[in-house]
Amino acid sequence: MHKIQQIYIDGNFITPHGTEVAPLYNPATEQVIGEVRLADEIDTYAAVSAAKRAFADFSKTTKLERIAILKRLNTAFADRLDDLKAAMTEEYGAVRGIVDGLLPLAPAMFDEASELLASYTFQQTRGSTTVSMDPLGVAVAITPWNLSAVFVAQKVATALAAGCTVVVKPSELSAMQTQIIMEAFDAAALPPGVVNVVTGRGATVGDALTSHPDVAKVDFTGSTAVGQRIMRNAADTFKRLTLELGGKSPTILLDDTDIPSGVNAALTSGFLNNGQTCFAGTRILAPESELDAVLAAIQAAMPAFTAGDPTDPATSVGPVVSQAQFDRVQGYIRLGLEEGAHLLTGGAGRPDGINQGWFVKPTIFTGVTNDMRIAREEIFGPVLVVIPYRDDDEAVAIANDSPFGLQAHVFSSNPQRAHQVAERLEAGTVLVNRIFGDPRAPFGGMKQSGIGRHHHTYGLESYLEPRAITA
Ligand code: NAD
């Protein structure tokens, strides 16, 4: 049993004032594997005070001092990768491909930030004006349970590079990952109060942080609904916001695509992290003229996307994170049938031969039109839709007809043609003949997928306020 009973404030592990204890589950077995004691508003205020006190000195540190801190954090996170991998698999069913492929991005975030810091000019000249790029103040980092270490590292690295201090509010569903992350912060011997971690519920700790007058910036990764609430809370004191929210990303297979490889990429993207990835390509747009070949290729590829035990290295789709998410995804599968879509594969209930665990059958709907709810709403489970289109113009129109705009994918054997289509898509990231982005490119969403961008100067400057002095 994992007992997680402390939070991290002002350089110390402390027992929270909050007394609520929440169970932790292994989603592959539905067994309780531990418990976490949750922080409350009083703990939140203590963390913000610690960060505010620390900001006075930390905001005046030199680039070299901050680079040294970022390098220590890189080492501290790299040292804990194996522990984090095990926690991700036990806590949310992450499969081997995800933990090996994506978790190393966590320490890399600190490296990226220290490289950027070395080259960034905080004092700039514009005409007869000196512009100083000053740290905003106390920043709040709110993260989801999936790939928790990567999101925490991304936000903390950028905040510290800018000279801000941070309060991290990780998801209450990722307490095991959070314990390791707190230990890594402690091992990096940061000045007290520069990074604080308060695990608690959104409705208590989250609301208290996003409405706190001493918080200057909120950097949030999570659902669009919570992003909307954060914007409202932040409005009273005009907090600066970076919001990375949900998606319903299209994967356009142009009619000259090599179908087996395009389909394999589309399914890999769509089912990534057990279908729980913000940028997953969950709408597969197939040319009407090639629809039969695309559907046949999907059926041929599906054995590689069987749901099963996440501890088995051969498994590519594990369970969804919680009972609530399992019920929600099952609801969407039933909804798809009610809306008149057809099952190409999958369907309601657990996969054959699996009697426990929050496993969903990897499911693909055909006969889908883009106005159906299963084509418009983020399901956040292994459920994809195939939508046929007549020509490139219609593919672009369908891709863009979405409340979301996080990522889009275009596959074609003609890179120039794919690029022309890419330029017409409303998405923060458009990938051509690939499903993973460039970690140094700006990342964030258009429309209801969010506000602002992470990475490089796009991210750094969202933690800075320009002060123009004209003499
Ligand atoms: P969620 O929005 O339910 O929770 C995210 C975080 O917000 C958690 O820490 C939660 O406790 C907190 N929260 C909840 N209510 C809050 C409130 N009122 N105030 C402040 N914080 C609050 O999302 P989740 O289920 O953890 O993650 C899945 C969602 O995250 C999906 O919608 C997915 O698309 C999105 N996501 C986006 C990205 C991205 O980069 N755009 C990446 C990963 C996940």
Side-chain angles (χ1 to χ4, degrees):
M1 284 285 276
H2 304 274
K3 287 202 166 192
I4 296 163
Q5 292 172 315
Q6 295 192 305
I7 53 178
Y8 189 68
I9 297 181
D10 217 7
N12 296 308
F13 286 93
I14 62 160
T15 302
H17 175 270
T19 53
E20 182 186 350
V21 174
L24 300 170
Y25 296 92
N26 179 334
T29 62
E30 300 177 46
Q31 300 300 310
V32 173
I33 52 167
E35 60 182 40
V36 54
R37 179 165 169 168
L38 298 174
D40 65 7
E41 288 91 341
I42 304 285
D43 300 305
T44 309
Y45 303 145
V48 174
S49 297
K52 188 179 175 185
R53 279 193 305 277
F55 181 72
D57 286 339
F58 190 71
S59 57
K60 298 188 184 68
T61 48
T62 63
K63 278 196 201 187
L64 284 180
E65 287 168 321
R66 299 210 292 283
I67 286 170
I69 285 173
L70 291 166
K71 286 193 184 310
R72 294 206 298 276
L73 282 164
N74 167 271
T75 307
F77 272 65
D79 285 348
R80 301 303 301 272
L81 282 189
D82 286 344
D83 298 327
L84 283 165
K85 287 178 182 179
M88 286 165 68
T89 299
E90 192 177 357
E91 188 165 61
Y92 82 81
V95 299
R96 177 68 70 86
I98 283 287
V99 297
D100 286 350
L102 298 184
L103 189 60
L105 289 173
M109 295 288 172
F110 296 106
D111 254 356
E112 178 194 318
S114 65
E115 264 177 47
L116 172 62
L117 184 51
S119 63
Y120 188 75
T121 307
F122 285 85
Q123 298 290 324
Q124 305 169 1
T125 305
R126 300 277 180 266
S128 54
T129 297
T130 306
V131 181
S132 68
M133 301 297 285
D134 297 337
L136 284 171
V138 174
V140 162
I142 303 180
T143 52
W145 50 266
N146 57 348
L147 275 176
S148 188
V150 175
F151 293 116
V152 170
Q154 173 195 60
K155 294 173 195 316
V156 169
T158 315
L160 299 194
C164 293
T165 55
V166 194
V167 179
V168 181
K169 195 219 86 67
S171 170
E172 57 278 32
L173 298 178
S174 58
M176 287 168 55
Q177 295 169 78
T178 300
Q179 177 66 29
I180 299 161
I181 291 167
M182 290 191 293
E183 289 166 8
F185 284 134
D186 198 55
L190 307 173
V194 166
V195 177
N196 309 274
V197 183
V198 188
T199 302
R201 294 204 184 276
T204 50
V205 173
D207 275 346
L209 284 170
T210 55
S211 54
H212 197 298
D214 289 338
V215 169
K217 154 109 192 168
V218 180
D219 188 340
F220 170 74
T221 297
S223 60
T224 295
V226 173
Q228 287 164 337
R229 185 175 174 91
I230 289 174
M231 268 189 104
R232 289 189 197 103
N233 279 348
D236 282 347
T237 49
F238 288 94
K239 297 185 197 319
R240 277 47 182 163
L241 292 177
T242 302
L243 303 174
E244 290 208 346
L245 310 176
K248 193 78 184 177
S249 298
T251 300
I252 302 178
L253 305 174
L254 292 180
D255 59 12
D256 61 358
T257 305
D258 173 64
I259 290 176
S261 67
V263 159
N264 188 53
L267 299 182
T268 304
S269 168
F271 293 135
L272 200 67
N273 210 22
N274 316 337
Q276 302 162 120
T277 309
C278 54
F279 56 78
T282 46
R283 289 186 294 154
I284 300 172
L285 273 50
E288 220 164 55
S289 57
E290 302 292 336
L291 187 59
D292 289 346
V294 168
L295 299 185
I298 290 175
Q299 272 177 319
M302 279 310 289
F305 299 94
T306 306
D309 178 2
T311 63
D312 180 345
T315 299
S316 59
V317 184
V320 297
V321 66
S322 62
Q323 176 78 57
Q325 190 59 17
F326 177 82
D327 294 342
R328 189 168 172 270
V329 175
Q330 296 295 331
Y332 272 107
I333 295 173
R334 288 193 297 273
L335 175 69
L337 294 171
E338 283 160 25
E339 287 185 303
H342 312 296
L343 284 171
L344 179 68
T345 183
R350 288 191 178 82
D352 294 343
I354 297 183
N355 304 316
Q356 62 172 12
W358 296 312
F359 292 93
V360 174
K361 288 180 194 162
T363 295
I364 300 191
F365 281 108
T366 59
V368 175
T369 53
N370 201 46
D371 57 352
M372 291 181 182
R373 282 181 58 199
I374 55 166
R376 303 196 76 75
E377 298 176 15
E378 186 183 49
I379 297 174
F380 225 56
V383 180
L384 313 181
V385 299
V386 179
I387 305 174
Y389 68 83
R390 279 188 303 275
D391 54 25
D392 290 7
D393 286 347
E394 194 180 36
V396 169
I398 294 170
N400 289 342
D401 176 17
S402 170
F404 297 107
L406 188 58
Q407 186 158 294
H409 316 84
V410 186
F411 284 85
S412 167
S413 56
N414 178 344
Q416 209 181 350
R417 178 179 170 212
H419 205 92
Q420 281 165 0
V421 170
E423 284 177 341
R424 299 169 63 194
L425 296 176
E426 295 166 1
T429 299
V430 186
L431 301 177
V432 173
N433 290 335
R434 58 193 282 174
I435 56 168
F436 291 105
D438 176 348
R440 292 182 181 227
F443 184 76
M446 296 183 182
K447 301 191 272 186
Q448 292 180 33
S449 288
I451 292 180
R453 297 290 182 271
H454 281 115
H455 298 303
H456 219 264
T457 46
Y458 308 94
L460 183 67
E461 291 185 346
S462 76
Y463 281 82
L464 297 169
E465 196 79 84
R467 177 193 290 108
I469 300 181
T470 308

